[in-house]
Amino acid sequence: MTTAIVLYRSQKESIFGELVTEKLLVSTKSAVEQESNLPQILFITSFPPRECGIATYSQDLINALNNQFENSFTCSICALESETEQHIYKEKPNYILNTDCRNSFIKTALYINNNENIRVVVMQHEFGFFAKKENEFKQFFNSISKPIIFVFHTVLPTPNKELKIKVEDMAAIASAIVVMTSNAANLLKNEYNVADYKISIIPHGTHLVAPMNREKLKNKYQLSNKMVLSTFGLLSSSKSIETTLAALPSIIAKFPNVLFLVLGKTHPNIVKQEGEQYRRMLEEKVKELKLENHVRFVNKYLPLNMLLDYLQLTDVYLFTSKDPNQAISGTLSYAVSCGCPVISTPIPHAKENISHNNGLLFDFENEEQLSKAVISLLGNDKLRFEISLNSFHQMATTAWQNSAIAHALLFEQSTSNIYNLNYKAPPINLKHLKNMTTDFGIIQFAKIANPDIFSGYTLDDNARALIAICQHYELYRNEDDLRLINTYLQFIQHCIQPNGTFLNYVNQEHEFTSQNYKENIEDSNGRAIWALGYTSALKEILPINITNEAENILQRAIPQLEKIHSTRAMAFIIKGLHFQNKLDNLYLLDIFANRLIKMYKHEKSAKWFWFEDYLTYGNSVLSEAMLCAYLSTSANIYKNIAKESFDFLLSEIFSNGKIKVISNKGWHIKNETKQKPIGGEQPIDVAYTIMVLEKLYATFGKEDYKQKAMSAFNWFLGDNHLRQIVYNPCTGGCYDGVEEFNVNLNQGAESTVSYLMARLAIERIQTRKK
């Protein structure tokens, strides 16, 4: 965000219309010159410390944009205030608009128009913000010469003539209008005559959460052995909390350990108008119904981490609004995204997001229906668990990271593509990898982000994990890595057989499964050689016992290797022998490299430069193996085939600078011209491509390899056909794939380790000296 030197008022000052001039006149250029030349996105919005849902929404969105992108644009803030709503800001806004002051509208529009860096104005709109100065507001948005995007937080049905004209006036000058539900979009089209092309649906953003143990959280908040019902948000009579209080006696009769949490302070505007009258009424109701041991008021504006804790410990979340026209609820979105089974009144937002597989609906102010719904869920643990899983899947697209991507693309469209979106590489995070790793090895699969121990372990995953953590140790010399390195190495030791071959599949009891004898596991053997060769080569930095053990296991396997003929297994072996760099074993490297050359020459044609007559999975490793053979032997034929084959592969998986790897829903067959399937893209294929691009860049220094590696990495960050993140920055895990219509949210070992290898490759590229 750009910085500005601003004179801030003392709390005693009140004539805001004059102060805005003084503050804006002393604004200076950005302290960071690079940012000062970037396009600026101005958000006109309420903003914290103001306590309202839109303020929190805007802060979350701007934080997400700043975390997701860099060197693309800057976000600036015009905070909405009034004579009775003024604040000292932790994050200094660039402008302040006093909605009670006529001159403030005119002057703010003037400053916006005169700031050439502002390219888009994003107006977070709620009618209450501008109720006292509606004419001035209309003049304000009509006088702004920059593209305006309105974000409508409320769209009322059956508008009267006056309301319809207000919305139509905004729509007429808008570059785009953002709403958060399909219902709101349909209302705009059908009842306000807004053109369809102007409307974008971007759901209310939600926070990603890591799996938490519900009972541990309950213990943390003194809720052990309680069945927790909860609701949260700024308190007002529209919340209809009394409906739940009326339903509680019949619920408690079935479940005496129920506790209802009412989370949140009274809405500041309500306090100004009527004090704590509504809260006192609720407290009296609690006494009247003798519910003191079953209701807890948490009268605070909760910090985010505490709020998410409360939602994750909740057994059933209750949304009891009595306003049938409430278009959107951030509280409802947050509850569903945290996996809460939800019972809600049928506001439009709830009807779109709550169904039989992720919650229940009940009629407004109907305590009997609410009571029956709560009892049905509290009495069915299996159903609540299924609802929780369904909720995670349904709400994944609403993560703030995805919301940021959708908004950034809309900004790009509204500014006629005057900037390039540059995704920001997240910090390296080993949390999920460690969570997936036991004392025996890394577990194969996960359900969402929870390790599935019943899926067992594989040599494939532990070999890849060994390489990834060795690479991490090379960069950071983190002593904690040594424990992981030893764990994965010992797993490989467990898998080698007396004859020098390896088995792949191991169950949760550490026993080899029958699957080892039903499948060709040559590729697994090849991956083991790759991992052992890589580890044994790090003699200068790893403890000698680790490198010696890796060397010994590798040497035990050497006599059996020549029998292997699987294409990718041979490629993995070439890589392992290259890293081992042992003269006695180079003959084997040549044997396998020459086998690949024969395959290449056999399949090569005028339009096909590949080793096989199809492109399937893990394609990049074949070209990389030839590059490794060249680096070990200096034989130009290996180099030429490495570059020629990889250039061909890049031509098949890159289009307009973006990667789309071969789909596992249909391999790419030589001489076939059928349309490529959508979806079925795996993180491992993207990661292997990045790793080869990094090695080519390190070897030949060609800038195009670097740029393609960076572009390919953006696939993980949302630059894919779904425009959704594949890497989860909250857990540190990577989703298992991009399908046609959704991301597979399971974060298994293969995808998580693949992402880590890709991220480390990007780190090496970014830190490499030219």
Side-chain angles (χ1 to χ4, degrees), residues 284-324:
E284 288 300 317
K285 186 86 169 174
V286 168
K287 292 178 183 177
E288 176 188 331
L289 296 173
K290 296 181 171 48
L291 297 173
E292 291 92 339
N293 294 327
H294 298 279
V295 178
R296 181 186 298 179
F297 291 94
V298 181
N299 188 10
K300 298 178 182 177
Y301 192 79
L302 296 175
L304 179 64
N305 61 335
M306 186 180 292
L307 172 60
L308 296 179
D309 277 355
Y310 272 120
L311 290 176
Q312 288 186 91
L313 64 78
T314 293
D315 292 291
V316 178
Y317 183 83
L318 306 178
F319 182 81
T320 55
S321 169
K322 61 183 179 182
D323 180 3

mmCIF file of all heavy atoms in Angstrom, residues 284-324:
data_model
loop_
_atom_site.group_PDB
_atom_site.id
_atom_site.type_symbol
_atom_site.label_atom_id
_atom_site.label_comp_id
_atom_site.label_asym_id
_atom_site.label_seq_id
_atom_site.Cartn_x
_atom_site.Cartn_y
_atom_site.Cartn_z
ATOM 1 N N GLU A 284 -32.819 -10.607 30.423
ATOM 2 C CA GLU A 284 -34.023 -10.850 31.226
ATOM 3 C C GLU A 284 -34.733 -12.126 30.779
ATOM 4 O O GLU A 284 -35.259 -12.889 31.587
ATOM 5 C CB GLU A 284 -34.972 -9.651 31.122
ATOM 6 C CG GLU A 284 -34.498 -8.414 31.857
ATOM 7 C CD GLU A 284 -34.313 -8.665 33.337
ATOM 8 O OE1 GLU A 284 -35.183 -9.330 33.953
ATOM 9 O OE2 GLU A 284 -33.292 -8.222 33.892
ATOM 10 N N LYS A 285 -34.735 -12.354 29.465
ATOM 11 C CA LYS A 285 -35.356 -13.567 28.911
ATOM 12 C C LYS A 285 -34.631 -14.815 29.422
ATOM 13 O O LYS A 285 -35.269 -15.828 29.738
ATOM 14 C CB LYS A 285 -35.294 -13.499 27.384
ATOM 15 C CG LYS A 285 -36.033 -14.617 26.663
ATOM 16 C CD LYS A 285 -37.493 -14.289 26.477
ATOM 17 C CE LYS A 285 -38.168 -15.262 25.538
ATOM 18 N NZ LYS A 285 -39.624 -15.023 25.457
ATOM 19 N N VAL A 286 -33.320 -14.727 29.497
ATOM 20 C CA VAL A 286 -32.535 -15.853 30.007
ATOM 21 C C VAL A 286 -32.938 -16.159 31.450
ATOM 22 O O VAL A 286 -33.124 -17.335 31.819
ATOM 23 C CB VAL A 286 -31.025 -15.539 29.909
ATOM 24 C CG1 VAL A 286 -30.202 -16.565 30.693
ATOM 25 C CG2 VAL A 286 -30.578 -15.527 28.456
ATOM 26 N N LYS A 287 -33.079 -15.123 32.256
ATOM 27 C CA LYS A 287 -33.481 -15.334 33.653
ATOM 28 C C LYS A 287 -34.894 -15.892 33.739
ATOM 29 O O LYS A 287 -35.176 -16.798 34.525
ATOM 30 C CB LYS A 287 -33.390 -14.014 34.410
ATOM 31 C CG LYS A 287 -31.975 -13.507 34.599
ATOM 32 C CD LYS A 287 -31.973 -12.175 35.326
ATOM 33 C CE LYS A 287 -30.557 -11.620 35.452
ATOM 34 N NZ LYS A 287 -30.561 -10.280 36.098
ATOM 35 N N GLU A 288 -35.766 -15.341 32.929
ATOM 36 C CA GLU A 288 -37.173 -15.772 32.939
ATOM 37 C C GLU A 288 -37.299 -17.261 32.615
ATOM 38 O O GLU A 288 -38.109 -17.985 33.235
ATOM 39 C CB GLU A 288 -37.955 -14.938 31.923
ATOM 40 C CG GLU A 288 -39.409 -15.331 31.752
ATOM 41 C CD GLU A 288 -40.061 -14.587 30.587
ATOM 42 O OE1 GLU A 288 -39.638 -13.447 30.284
ATOM 43 O OE2 GLU A 288 -40.983 -15.160 29.970
ATOM 44 N N LEU A 289 -36.500 -17.730 31.661
ATOM 45 C CA LEU A 289 -36.567 -19.139 31.236
ATOM 46 C C LEU A 289 -35.605 -20.029 32.018
ATOM 47 O O LEU A 289 -35.481 -21.219 31.714
ATOM 48 C CB LEU A 289 -36.276 -19.230 29.741
ATOM 49 C CG LEU A 289 -37.280 -18.541 28.812
ATOM 50 C CD1 LEU A 289 -36.788 -18.566 27.366
ATOM 51 C CD2 LEU A 289 -38.653 -19.222 28.914
ATOM 52 N N LYS A 290 -34.913 -19.436 33.007
ATOM 53 C CA LYS A 290 -33.957 -20.179 33.847
ATOM 54 C C LYS A 290 -32.873 -20.856 32.988
ATOM 55 O O LYS A 290 -32.571 -22.039 33.144
ATOM 56 C CB LYS A 290 -34.692 -21.214 34.710
ATOM 57 C CG LYS A 290 -35.656 -20.591 35.713
ATOM 58 C CD LYS A 290 -36.332 -21.663 36.565
ATOM 59 C CE LYS A 290 -37.118 -21.058 37.708
ATOM 60 N NZ LYS A 290 -38.000 -19.941 37.354
ATOM 61 N N LEU A 291 -32.303 -20.050 32.121
ATOM 62 C CA LEU A 291 -31.291 -20.566 31.185
ATOM 63 C C LEU A 291 -29.878 -20.100 31.541
ATOM 64 O O LEU A 291 -28.960 -20.207 30.732
ATOM 65 C CB LEU A 291 -31.622 -20.096 29.763
ATOM 66 C CG LEU A 291 -32.941 -20.572 29.160
ATOM 67 C CD1 LEU A 291 -33.185 -19.879 27.812
ATOM 68 C CD2 LEU A 291 -32.944 -22.086 28.993
ATOM 69 N N GLU A 292 -29.688 -19.594 32.773
ATOM 70 C CA GLU A 292 -28.394 -19.005 33.128
ATOM 71 C C GLU A 292 -27.224 -19.963 32.916
ATOM 72 O O GLU A 292 -26.118 -19.531 32.583
ATOM 73 C CB GLU A 292 -28.409 -18.544 34.599
ATOM 74 C CG GLU A 292 -29.319 -17.356 34.851
ATOM 75 C CD GLU A 292 -30.717 -17.785 35.263
ATOM 76 O OE1 GLU A 292 -31.101 -18.952 34.968
ATOM 77 O OE2 GLU A 292 -31.433 -16.977 35.880
ATOM 78 N N ASN A 293 -27.444 -21.252 33.105
ATOM 79 C CA ASN A 293 -26.363 -22.238 32.951
ATOM 80 C C ASN A 293 -26.225 -22.735 31.508
ATOM 81 O O ASN A 293 -25.391 -23.605 31.224
ATOM 82 C CB ASN A 293 -26.593 -23.431 33.885
ATOM 83 C CG ASN A 293 -26.492 -23.045 35.340
ATOM 84 O OD1 ASN A 293 -25.710 -22.159 35.709
ATOM 85 N ND2 ASN A 293 -27.284 -23.702 36.188
ATOM 86 N N HIS A 294 -27.057 -22.193 30.624
ATOM 87 C CA HIS A 294 -27.067 -22.696 29.246
ATOM 88 C C HIS A 294 -26.856 -21.597 28.203
ATOM 89 O O HIS A 294 -26.882 -21.881 27.002
ATOM 90 C CB HIS A 294 -28.386 -23.409 28.966
ATOM 91 C CG HIS A 294 -28.612 -24.602 29.835
ATOM 92 N ND1 HIS A 294 -28.047 -25.831 29.580
ATOM 93 C CD2 HIS A 294 -29.325 -24.731 30.987
ATOM 94 C CE1 HIS A 294 -28.412 -26.687 30.519
ATOM 95 N NE2 HIS A 294 -29.186 -26.042 31.392
ATOM 96 N N VAL A 295 -26.646 -20.357 28.642
ATOM 97 C CA VAL A 295 -26.412 -19.248 27.719
ATOM 98 C C VAL A 295 -25.217 -18.445 28.219
ATOM 99 O O VAL A 295 -25.133 -18.125 29.413
ATOM 100 C CB VAL A 295 -27.643 -18.324 27.595
ATOM 101 C CG1 VAL A 295 -27.336 -17.152 26.647
ATOM 102 C CG2 VAL A 295 -28.859 -19.099 27.102
ATOM 103 N N ARG A 296 -24.293 -18.150 27.309
ATOM 104 C CA ARG A 296 -23.145 -17.317 27.665
ATOM 105 C C ARG A 296 -23.034 -16.192 26.642
ATOM 106 O O ARG A 296 -22.910 -16.438 25.444
ATOM 107 C CB ARG A 296 -21.857 -18.143 27.689
ATOM 108 C CG ARG A 296 -20.621 -17.327 28.074
ATOM 109 C CD ARG A 296 -19.340 -18.129 27.948
ATOM 110 N NE ARG A 296 -19.326 -19.292 28.839
ATOM 111 C CZ ARG A 296 -18.303 -20.165 28.883
ATOM 112 N NH1 ARG A 296 -17.239 -19.995 28.088
ATOM 113 N NH2 ARG A 296 -18.357 -21.199 29.704
ATOM 114 N N PHE A 297 -23.091 -14.952 27.136
ATOM 115 C CA PHE A 297 -22.885 -13.786 26.275
ATOM 116 C C PHE A 297 -21.395 -13.431 26.283
ATOM 117 O O PHE A 297 -20.805 -13.267 27.353
ATOM 118 C CB PHE A 297 -23.702 -12.588 26.776
ATOM 119 C CG PHE A 297 -25.183 -12.745 26.607
ATOM 120 C CD1 PHE A 297 -25.971 -13.241 27.629
ATOM 121 C CD2 PHE A 297 -25.799 -12.385 25.411
ATOM 122 C CE1 PHE A 297 -27.340 -13.376 27.485
ATOM 123 C CE2 PHE A 297 -27.169 -12.520 25.243
ATOM 124 C CZ PHE A 297 -27.943 -13.017 26.286
ATOM 125 N N VAL A 298 -20.805 -13.340 25.110
ATOM 126 C CA VAL A 298 -19.420 -12.875 24.997
ATOM 127 C C VAL A 298 -19.500 -11.486 24.378
ATOM 128 O O VAL A 298 -19.528 -11.321 23.147
ATOM 129 C CB VAL A 298 -18.564 -13.834 24.129
ATOM 130 C CG1 VAL A 298 -17.119 -13.339 24.056
ATOM 131 C CG2 VAL A 298 -18.620 -15.253 24.709
ATOM 132 N N ASN A 299 -19.556 -10.483 25.226
ATOM 133 C CA ASN A 299 -19.848 -9.111 24.810
ATOM 134 C C ASN A 299 -18.566 -8.412 24.348
ATOM 135 O O ASN A 299 -18.073 -7.481 24.988
ATOM 136 C CB ASN A 299 -20.506 -8.355 25.971
ATOM 137 C CG ASN A 299 -21.016 -6.988 25.549
ATOM 138 O OD1 ASN A 299 -21.047 -6.668 24.372
ATOM 139 N ND2 ASN A 299 -21.411 -6.194 26.535
ATOM 140 N N LYS A 300 -18.027 -8.880 23.225
ATOM 141 C CA LYS A 300 -16.785 -8.327 22.674
ATOM 142 C C LYS A 300 -16.855 -8.327 21.156
ATOM 143 O O LYS A 300 -17.570 -9.145 20.557
ATOM 144 C CB LYS A 300 -15.570 -9.179 23.086
ATOM 145 C CG LYS A 300 -15.290 -9.267 24.571
ATOM 146 C CD LYS A 300 -14.099 -10.186 24.810
ATOM 147 C CE LYS A 300 -13.808 -10.347 26.296
ATOM 148 N NZ LYS A 300 -12.681 -11.305 26.518
ATOM 149 N N TYR A 301 -16.097 -7.411 20.558
ATOM 150 C CA TYR A 301 -15.854 -7.475 19.114
ATOM 151 C C TYR A 301 -14.623 -8.357 18.956
ATOM 152 O O TYR A 301 -13.496 -7.931 19.182
ATOM 153 C CB TYR A 301 -15.608 -6.076 18.551
ATOM 154 C CG TYR A 301 -15.642 -6.011 17.040
ATOM 155 C CD1 TYR A 301 -16.857 -5.989 16.362
ATOM 156 C CD2 TYR A 301 -14.466 -5.966 16.297
ATOM 157 C CE1 TYR A 301 -16.913 -5.911 14.982
ATOM 158 C CE2 TYR A 301 -14.511 -5.892 14.920
ATOM 159 C CZ TYR A 301 -15.726 -5.868 14.259
ATOM 160 O OH TYR A 301 -15.767 -5.801 12.886
ATOM 161 N N LEU A 302 -14.839 -9.627 18.633
ATOM 162 C CA LEU A 302 -13.796 -10.638 18.768
ATOM 163 C C LEU A 302 -12.700 -10.488 17.720
ATOM 164 O O LEU A 302 -12.987 -10.264 16.537
ATOM 165 C CB LEU A 302 -14.407 -12.034 18.641
ATOM 166 C CG LEU A 302 -15.406 -12.438 19.729
ATOM 167 C CD1 LEU A 302 -16.012 -13.793 19.409
ATOM 168 C CD2 LEU A 302 -14.743 -12.464 21.097
ATOM 169 N N PRO A 303 -11.430 -10.640 18.123
ATOM 170 C CA PRO A 303 -10.362 -10.718 17.125
ATOM 171 C C PRO A 303 -10.541 -11.967 16.278
ATOM 172 O O PRO A 303 -11.151 -12.957 16.724
ATOM 173 C CB PRO A 303 -9.088 -10.793 17.973
ATOM 174 C CG PRO A 303 -9.529 -11.273 19.318
ATOM 175 C CD PRO A 303 -10.933 -10.781 19.500
ATOM 176 N N LEU A 304 -10.005 -11.939 15.063
ATOM 177 C CA LEU A 304 -10.274 -13.003 14.098
ATOM 178 C C LEU A 304 -9.888 -14.378 14.612
ATOM 179 O O LEU A 304 -10.650 -15.339 14.473
ATOM 180 C CB LEU A 304 -9.540 -12.706 12.783
ATOM 181 C CG LEU A 304 -9.706 -13.751 11.689
ATOM 182 C CD1 LEU A 304 -11.162 -13.834 11.243
ATOM 183 C CD2 LEU A 304 -8.811 -13.425 10.496
ATOM 184 N N ASN A 305 -8.712 -14.513 15.212
ATOM 185 C CA ASN A 305 -8.273 -15.846 15.635
ATOM 186 C C ASN A 305 -9.203 -16.433 16.683
ATOM 187 O O ASN A 305 -9.503 -17.635 16.674
ATOM 188 C CB ASN A 305 -6.828 -15.800 16.147
ATOM 189 C CG ASN A 305 -6.667 -14.887 17.347
ATOM 190 O OD1 ASN A 305 -7.443 -13.961 17.558
ATOM 191 N ND2 ASN A 305 -5.642 -15.138 18.150
ATOM 192 N N MET A 306 -9.695 -15.584 17.590
ATOM 193 C CA MET A 306 -10.627 -16.067 18.616
ATOM 194 C C MET A 306 -11.977 -16.428 17.997
ATOM 195 O O MET A 306 -12.590 -17.448 18.360
ATOM 196 C CB MET A 306 -10.800 -15.007 19.699
ATOM 197 C CG MET A 306 -11.637 -15.482 20.886
ATOM 198 S SD MET A 306 -11.824 -14.201 22.166
ATOM 199 C CE MET A 306 -10.116 -14.120 22.752
ATOM 200 N N LEU A 307 -12.431 -15.621 17.058
ATOM 201 C CA LEU A 307 -13.698 -15.905 16.387
ATOM 202 C C LEU A 307 -13.633 -17.246 15.665
ATOM 203 O O LEU A 307 -14.550 -18.079 15.779
ATOM 204 C CB LEU A 307 -14.018 -14.796 15.388
ATOM 205 C CG LEU A 307 -15.215 -15.039 14.458
ATOM 206 C CD1 LEU A 307 -16.491 -15.223 15.256
ATOM 207 C CD2 LEU A 307 -15.353 -13.898 13.467
ATOM 208 N N LEU A 308 -12.548 -17.500 14.936
ATOM 209 C CA LEU A 308 -12.425 -18.758 14.209
ATOM 210 C C LEU A 308 -12.326 -19.940 15.173
ATOM 211 O O LEU A 308 -12.830 -21.031 14.882
ATOM 212 C CB LEU A 308 -11.205 -18.709 13.276
ATOM 213 C CG LEU A 308 -11.279 -17.658 12.158
ATOM 214 C CD1 LEU A 308 -10.007 -17.684 11.315
ATOM 215 C CD2 LEU A 308 -12.502 -17.883 11.270
ATOM 216 N N ASP A 309 -11.688 -19.735 16.314
ATOM 217 C CA ASP A 309 -11.664 -20.787 17.346
ATOM 218 C C ASP A 309 -13.087 -21.129 17.785
ATOM 219 O O ASP A 309 -13.473 -22.307 17.840
ATOM 220 C CB ASP A 309 -10.878 -20.317 18.571
ATOM 221 C CG ASP A 309 -9.378 -20.501 18.428
ATOM 222 O OD1 ASP A 309 -8.944 -21.085 17.410
ATOM 223 O OD2 ASP A 309 -8.641 -20.058 19.327
ATOM 224 N N TYR A 310 -13.856 -20.119 18.109
ATOM 225 C CA TYR A 310 -15.229 -20.348 18.575
ATOM 226 C C TYR A 310 -16.054 -21.075 17.507
ATOM 227 O O TYR A 310 -16.844 -21.982 17.824
ATOM 228 C CB TYR A 310 -15.899 -19.027 18.940
ATOM 229 C CG TYR A 310 -15.670 -18.585 20.371
ATOM 230 C CD1 TYR A 310 -15.048 -17.375 20.653
ATOM 231 C CD2 TYR A 310 -16.105 -19.367 21.436
ATOM 232 C CE1 TYR A 310 -14.857 -16.952 21.971
ATOM 233 C CE2 TYR A 310 -15.912 -18.962 22.752
ATOM 234 C CZ TYR A 310 -15.288 -17.756 23.010
ATOM 235 O OH TYR A 310 -15.104 -17.355 24.307
ATOM 236 N N LEU A 311 -15.882 -20.684 16.250
ATOM 237 C CA LEU A 311 -16.654 -21.337 15.195
ATOM 238 C C LEU A 311 -16.242 -22.796 15.035
ATOM 239 O O LEU A 311 -17.081 -23.667 14.818
ATOM 240 C CB LEU A 311 -16.470 -20.585 13.874
ATOM 241 C CG LEU A 311 -17.135 -19.210 13.804
ATOM 242 C CD1 LEU A 311 -16.800 -18.526 12.485
ATOM 243 C CD2 LEU A 311 -18.650 -19.324 13.975
ATOM 244 N N GLN A 312 -14.949 -23.078 15.171
ATOM 245 C CA GLN A 312 -14.491 -24.461 14.988
ATOM 246 C C GLN A 312 -14.844 -25.364 16.165
ATOM 247 O O GLN A 312 -14.879 -26.587 16.004
ATOM 248 C CB GLN A 312 -12.983 -24.482 14.725
ATOM 249 C CG GLN A 312 -12.621 -23.946 13.340
ATOM 250 C CD GLN A 312 -11.153 -24.108 13.025
ATOM 251 O OE1 GLN A 312 -10.707 -25.106 12.460
ATOM 252 N NE2 GLN A 312 -10.364 -23.116 13.396
ATOM 253 N N LEU A 313 -15.089 -24.793 17.315
ATOM 254 C CA LEU A 313 -15.515 -25.635 18.439
ATOM 255 C C LEU A 313 -17.037 -25.796 18.491
ATOM 256 O O LEU A 313 -17.571 -26.580 19.282
ATOM 257 C CB LEU A 313 -14.992 -25.076 19.765
ATOM 258 C CG LEU A 313 -15.461 -23.713 20.277
ATOM 259 C CD1 LEU A 313 -16.844 -23.742 20.915
ATOM 260 C CD2 LEU A 313 -14.455 -23.170 21.283
ATOM 261 N N THR A 314 -17.744 -25.061 17.645
ATOM 262 C CA THR A 314 -19.213 -25.092 17.637
ATOM 263 C C THR A 314 -19.740 -26.410 17.064
ATOM 264 O O THR A 314 -19.278 -26.884 16.032
ATOM 265 C CB THR A 314 -19.750 -23.916 16.798
ATOM 266 O OG1 THR A 314 -19.430 -22.698 17.456
ATOM 267 C CG2 THR A 314 -21.254 -24.019 16.587
ATOM 268 N N ASP A 315 -20.719 -26.987 17.730
ATOM 269 C CA ASP A 315 -21.366 -28.201 17.224
ATOM 270 C C ASP A 315 -22.453 -27.863 16.205
ATOM 271 O O ASP A 315 -22.594 -28.561 15.197
ATOM 272 C CB ASP A 315 -21.967 -28.996 18.384
ATOM 273 C CG ASP A 315 -20.888 -29.584 19.287
ATOM 274 O OD1 ASP A 315 -20.174 -30.490 18.835
ATOM 275 O OD2 ASP A 315 -20.752 -29.106 20.429
ATOM 276 N N VAL A 316 -23.227 -26.818 16.462
ATOM 277 C CA VAL A 316 -24.243 -26.350 15.511
ATOM 278 C C VAL A 316 -24.276 -24.823 15.564
ATOM 279 O O VAL A 316 -24.379 -24.234 16.653
ATOM 280 C CB VAL A 316 -25.648 -26.914 15.815
ATOM 281 C CG1 VAL A 316 -26.673 -26.357 14.828
ATOM 282 C CG2 VAL A 316 -25.645 -28.437 15.767
ATOM 283 N N TYR A 317 -24.204 -24.196 14.396
ATOM 284 C CA TYR A 317 -24.263 -22.742 14.316
ATOM 285 C C TYR A 317 -25.682 -22.312 13.956
ATOM 286 O O TYR A 317 -26.322 -22.897 13.065
ATOM 287 C CB TYR A 317 -23.291 -22.210 13.261
ATOM 288 C CG TYR A 317 -23.265 -20.705 13.184
ATOM 289 C CD1 TYR A 317 -22.490 -19.971 14.067
ATOM 290 C CD2 TYR A 317 -24.051 -20.021 12.259
ATOM 291 C CE1 TYR A 317 -22.481 -18.580 14.031
ATOM 292 C CE2 TYR A 317 -24.051 -18.632 12.215
ATOM 293 C CZ TYR A 317 -23.259 -17.911 13.107
ATOM 294 O OH TYR A 317 -23.266 -16.547 13.066
ATOM 295 N N LEU A 318 -26.174 -21.271 14.632
ATOM 296 C CA LEU A 318 -27.547 -20.804 14.434
ATOM 297 C C LEU A 318 -27.546 -19.405 13.834
ATOM 298 O O LEU A 318 -26.940 -18.481 14.396
ATOM 299 C CB LEU A 318 -28.295 -20.798 15.765
ATOM 300 C CG LEU A 318 -28.294 -22.122 16.543
ATOM 301 C CD1 LEU A 318 -29.040 -21.962 17.864
ATOM 302 C CD2 LEU A 318 -28.907 -23.238 15.709
ATOM 303 N N PHE A 319 -28.235 -19.263 12.713
ATOM 304 C CA PHE A 319 -28.408 -17.957 12.079
ATOM 305 C C PHE A 319 -29.903 -17.680 12.060
ATOM 306 O O PHE A 319 -30.650 -18.316 11.313
ATOM 307 C CB PHE A 319 -27.841 -17.960 10.666
ATOM 308 C CG PHE A 319 -27.936 -16.630 9.976
ATOM 309 C CD1 PHE A 319 -27.000 -15.641 10.228
ATOM 310 C CD2 PHE A 319 -28.973 -16.361 9.094
ATOM 311 C CE1 PHE A 319 -27.091 -14.399 9.605
ATOM 312 C CE2 PHE A 319 -29.079 -15.130 8.469
ATOM 313 C CZ PHE A 319 -28.130 -14.143 8.727
ATOM 314 N N THR A 320 -30.337 -16.718 12.881
ATOM 315 C CA THR A 320 -31.776 -16.560 13.127
ATOM 316 C C THR A 320 -32.322 -15.200 12.684
ATOM 317 O O THR A 320 -33.364 -14.762 13.181
ATOM 318 C CB THR A 320 -32.067 -16.753 14.629
ATOM 319 O OG1 THR A 320 -31.254 -15.836 15.395
ATOM 320 C CG2 THR A 320 -31.761 -18.176 15.057
ATOM 321 N N SER A 321 -31.648 -14.560 11.738
ATOM 322 C CA SER A 321 -32.116 -13.246 11.265
ATOM 323 C C SER A 321 -33.603 -13.292 10.891
ATOM 324 O O SER A 321 -34.082 -14.251 10.284
ATOM 325 C CB SER A 321 -31.302 -12.819 10.050
ATOM 326 O OG SER A 321 -31.874 -11.692 9.420
ATOM 327 N N LYS A 322 -34.314 -12.219 11.233
ATOM 328 C CA LYS A 322 -35.733 -12.157 10.874
ATOM 329 C C LYS A 322 -35.991 -11.204 9.716
ATOM 330 O O LYS A 322 -37.145 -10.870 9.414
ATOM 331 C CB LYS A 322 -36.572 -11.743 12.085
ATOM 332 C CG LYS A 322 -36.246 -10.372 12.669
ATOM 333 C CD LYS A 322 -37.099 -10.129 13.905
ATOM 334 C CE LYS A 322 -36.804 -8.775 14.540
ATOM 335 N NZ LYS A 322 -37.595 -8.561 15.775
ATOM 336 N N ASP A 323 -34.924 -10.786 9.048
ATOM 337 C CA ASP A 323 -35.044 -9.881 7.897
ATOM 338 C C ASP A 323 -35.032 -10.686 6.605
ATOM 339 O O ASP A 323 -33.977 -11.137 6.158
ATOM 340 C CB ASP A 323 -33.893 -8.881 7.896
ATOM 341 C CG ASP A 323 -33.962 -7.909 6.721
ATOM 342 O OD1 ASP A 323 -34.937 -7.980 5.949
ATOM 343 O OD2 ASP A 323 -33.031 -7.088 6.582
ATOM 344 N N PRO A 324 -36.178 -10.898 5.962
ATOM 345 C CA PRO A 324 -36.224 -11.730 4.744
ATOM 346 C C PRO A 324 -35.489 -11.110 3.569
ATOM 347 O O PRO A 324 -35.198 -11.798 2.591
ATOM 348 C CB PRO A 324 -37.724 -11.847 4.456
ATOM 349 C CG PRO A 324 -38.334 -10.647 5.105
ATOM 350 C CD PRO A 324 -37.511 -10.366 6.318
#
